[in-house]
Amino acid sequence: MLEVQDVTAVYGRSTLALQGVSLSVPAGGAVALLGSNGAGKSTLLKAISGILPATGGSLRGGTVRWEGQSLKNRDPAWIVRAGIVQVPEGRRVFARLTIEENLRAGGITCRNRKTTAQARDRVLALFPALEPRLSSPAGLLSGGEQQMLAIGRALMAAPRLLMLDEPSLGLAPLMVRQIAATIREIHGDGTSVLLVEQNAHMALSLVDSACVLEVGRVALEGTARELSQTDEIQRSYLGHGTDRTSA
Ligand SMILES: Nc1ncnc2c1ncn2[C@@H]1O[C@H](COP(=O)(O)OP(=O)(O)OP(=O)(O)O)[C@@H](O)[C@H]1O
Ligand SMILES: [Mg+2]
């Protein structure tokens, strides 16, 4: 469904953020992208969603294909309409807009009223806590609630591939478990998922396969089961049984 092949990306003239990265997400699949700070995870999501140029970056080589069509140089709104929607790093809800307005903004590329109404029902069923607060400014929500809203806003565009950039970041363990359960439910409903996480424990519990980026290159890849058993993942990402937040 999504095929990233040999992608190289730079910021400005000299910062090489991705070097020859390949990754694919099959229809209905769930794939995780792991790696430490600065590895290039967000850059890869931005390269797929088409917002890399808006952050000063560009694709230098390789191909990104969605159901056989190239996504290179596509308008980000075209990519959303094609079915790929990204939940950005740090949630980025529109703080001064209400929850309702944030959701409406997420559905802005969708021209079919019935589809929008169905997406809104789905979001409120997934996140019942948002419903009584629809007219409150999003900036007043807790971090966990903002993450729910950011995911809800993305779902308003009825994605077939949902890309999430570190949804567990800064959240308490209970909220991480709730977000993980929600992602599992979204995937269970048939939406493909590409999940960027530093919380490997959470990510590997949700996906079929994963790849690990290290300074812009794929260092490891395999099924979630294989990766969770490798020494490197255990040492670097699962904390050797220390008290890392678990999902
Ligand atoms: N807008 C930008 N301009 C210049 N350099 C950037 C920009 N965004 C990222 N970089 C650089 O590109 C590299 C990859 O960054 P990226 O944000 O993709 O990493 P990441 O894996 O998402 O890290 P984190 O886990 O901290 O979010 C880093 O060296 C970073 O400093
Ligand atoms: Mg990032």
Side-chain angles (χ1 to χ4, degrees):
M1 193 182 205
L2 177 77
E3 199 70 55
V4 173
Q5 255 174 0
D6 210 17
V7 157
T8 294
V10 295
Y11 289 102
R13 288 203 182 140
S14 54
T15 311
L16 194 52
L18 296 173
Q19 299 180 62
V21 170
S22 299
L23 165 151
S24 60
V25 182
V31 175
L33 187 57
L34 309 173
S36 51
N37 292 119
K41 305 179 300 296
S42 299
T43 303
L44 186 58
L45 292 196
K46 292 189 287 181
I48 298 166
S49 63
I51 57 171
L52 191 57
T55 60
S58 58
L59 276 181
R60 279 289 162 83
T63 55
V64 182
R65 293 188 164 273
W66 170 245
E67 297 177 328
Q69 292 197 75
S70 172
L71 296 185
K72 239 177 173 174
N73 303 322
R74 294 275 190 196
D75 180 49
W78 186 94
I79 294 172
V80 169
R81 280 196 293 270
I84 303 177
V85 182
Q86 180 178 354
V87 182
E89 193 169 24
R91 333 191 209 292
R92 303 278 184 97
V93 297
F94 303 117
R96 292 190 187 182
L97 300 186
T98 65
I99 294 175
E100 180 81 61
E101 288 163 343
N102 269 272
L103 293 179
R104 218 181 302 147
I108 209 156
T109 55
C110 182
R111 298 198 184 102
N112 181 322
R113 270 200 208 164
K114 194 168 157 215
T115 314
T116 305
Q118 280 169 350
R120 186 176 177 281
D121 289 347
R122 182 188 185 202
V123 169
L124 295 179
L126 277 171
F127 303 114
L130 296 180
E131 184 145 27
R133 306 183 64 182
L134 282 170
S135 53
S136 308
L140 298 182
L141 296 175
S142 71
E145 290 163 342
Q146 289 191 11
Q147 185 61 59
M148 291 177 185
L149 178 57
I151 296 173
R153 183 180 57 185
L155 291 176
M156 287 298 293
R160 287 185 294 132
L161 171 66
L162 182 68
M163 303 197 295
L164 302 114
D165 198 343
E166 299 205 43
S168 79
L169 193 71
L171 303 184
L174 178 64
M175 186 53 74
V176 173
R177 281 197 288 275
Q178 276 183 27
I179 295 289
T182 306
I183 296 170
R184 195 172 284 120
E185 198 174 337
I186 293 167
H187 179 228
D189 287 344
T191 309
S192 306
V193 170
L194 178 55
L195 173 64
V196 162
E197 262 300 333
Q198 289 207 34
N199 183 337
H201 195 285
M202 173 209 188
L204 293 175
S205 75
L206 290 173
V207 300
D208 319 311
S209 66
C211 83
V212 180
L213 280 185
E214 261 173 33
V215 257
R217 290 179 187 275
V218 176
L220 278 173
E221 58 190 320
T223 64
R225 183 185 283 252
E226 281 162 7
L227 284 180
S228 55
Q229 286 164 357
T230 63
D231 287 349
E232 198 170 341
I233 294 279
Q234 298 234 342
R235 204 171 42 243
S236 310
Y237 298 101
L238 297 177
H240 253 321
T242 58
D243 62 352
R244 284 292 302 257
T245 305
S246 61

